[in-house]
Amino acid sequence: MCKDGFGYGVGEEEEDEEEEDSEEDISAANDNDQPRILLLGLRRSGKSSIQKVVFHKMPPSETLFLESTNKIYKDDISSSSFVNFQIWDFPGQVDFFDPTFDYEMIFRGTGALIFVIDAQDDYMEALGRLHLTVSRAYRINPHINFEVFVHKVDGLSDDHKIETQRDIHQRANDDLMDAGLDRLHLSFYLTSIYDHSIFEAFSKVVQKLIPQLPTLENLLNIFISNSGIEKAFLFDVLSKIYVATDSSPVDMQSYELCCDMIDVVIDISCIYGAYDDDSLAIIKMNNTTVLYLKEVTKFLALAIHEVFELTQVRRNCLEDHLDSPKAPVLNGTPRGLV
Ligand SMILES: Nc1nc2c(ncn2[C@@H]2O[C@H](COP(=O)(O)OP(=O)(O)OP(=O)(O)O)[C@@H](O)[C@H]2O)c(=O)[nH]1
């Protein structure tokens, strides 16, 4: 990754030094009003890999060499006014119920709790741990968003993925019902660090913590309805998390295209040292799609999935319309374009 100008606030080395005394760290962080996201799950479920791949551009294959986390690793994600939070990666063996562990303080300051379950492994123990963790956290702070990543699904067939998610969902909710916690809501995501699913899932987790989200969505709706653009995403370019999008449904393919474009633009910018306030990139695909990336603030960019040659499309439509009594049907033409 390009070192100059791209990177989140706290460097790993500083981070390591800070971590020397995790108890002190925890009390200091209590004063910090950034929303906190906790990453929890059994050992080797993939917590550190998720955090490294999404926020530090680590290539997924390099996570094979990650050592087991044995202290809480705190990561400040403060690239902009919208994407501003802390991630706490917990060691798999952490004992929340150790009386010396101030879990009350931790849960009180938590916005989202992500519980990672390795879907390639036997998940019964993980389900027990999930239940114990969320029920304890909910009693302390019912406002936490509880998110379950059914992770490492790259190794599973499509049918197996769906079946695994259904089974985990069912068992986890049954356990909550039995414990009288039917108001505790769990959200489930199928994730893998080997494709875009982990970025998509993290986007949704982060969006729930952004109070300005409805306003941003409205602004993007106004933007697309006045520009003939099909889909607009407001991205945090470093993590490829989308902070907001207009209210039309997200299709994975557009999101993946935009993510790939961000990678290309950042790589080229790094080579030439030129990503600044005026940065703008346009990629024309061979299927009439245009991708347009415009920087909004230093680390936020608007990626737009636009139809190529608007004038030509309009002209074709008009001709079709004149030739045939039926309204023209344009494959993949965005709403509001013609
Ligand atoms: N196939 C696959 N492997 C993954 C994925 N995510 C992580 N892994 C692998 O899972 C192993 C454990 O990952 P870690 O990130 O160290 O797990 P952890 O939960 O942080 O582990 P502890 O620090 O021991 O709690 C590594 O070998 C990763 O390469 C994934 O999406 N798919």
Side-chain angles (χ1 to χ4, degrees), residues 41-50 60-70 89-93 116 118 120 151-155 191-194:
L42 296 185
R43 260 180 186 282
R44 313 300 291 158
S45 53
K47 303 176 290 295
S48 307
S49 309
I50 293 173
S61 53
E62 279 183 25
T63 64
L64 289 168
F65 310 109
L66 280 176
E67 293 193 358
S68 214
T69 314
N70 48 29
D89 179 9
F90 280 76
Q93 83 286 6
V116 183
D118 180 346
Q120 294 188 12
H151 190 54
K152 305 194 191 179
V153 293
D154 46 279
T191 56
S192 163
I193 54 168
Y194 288 97

Side-chain angles (χ1 to χ4, degrees), residues 50 53-55 114 147 149 188-193 195-208 231 233 235 239-245 248-259:
I50 293 173
V53 169
V54 177
F55 296 102
I114 301 176
E147 321 278 5
F149 286 5
F188 293 87
Y189 309 81
L190 288 167
T191 56
S192 163
I193 54 168
D195 59 33
H196 291 84
S197 57
I198 193 64
F199 297 95
E200 161 92 358
F202 234 107
S203 300
K204 299 211 167 122
V205 170
V206 170
Q207 283 166 25
K208 291 190 198 166
K231 184 82 193 148
F233 292 100
F235 269 101
S239 59
K240 292 180 284 180
I241 279 180
Y242 65 94
V243 176
T245 181
S248 67
V250 174
D251 87 284
M252 262 317 251
Q253 226 185 351
S254 314
Y255 174 64
E256 286 173 15
L257 271 175
C258 293
C259 286

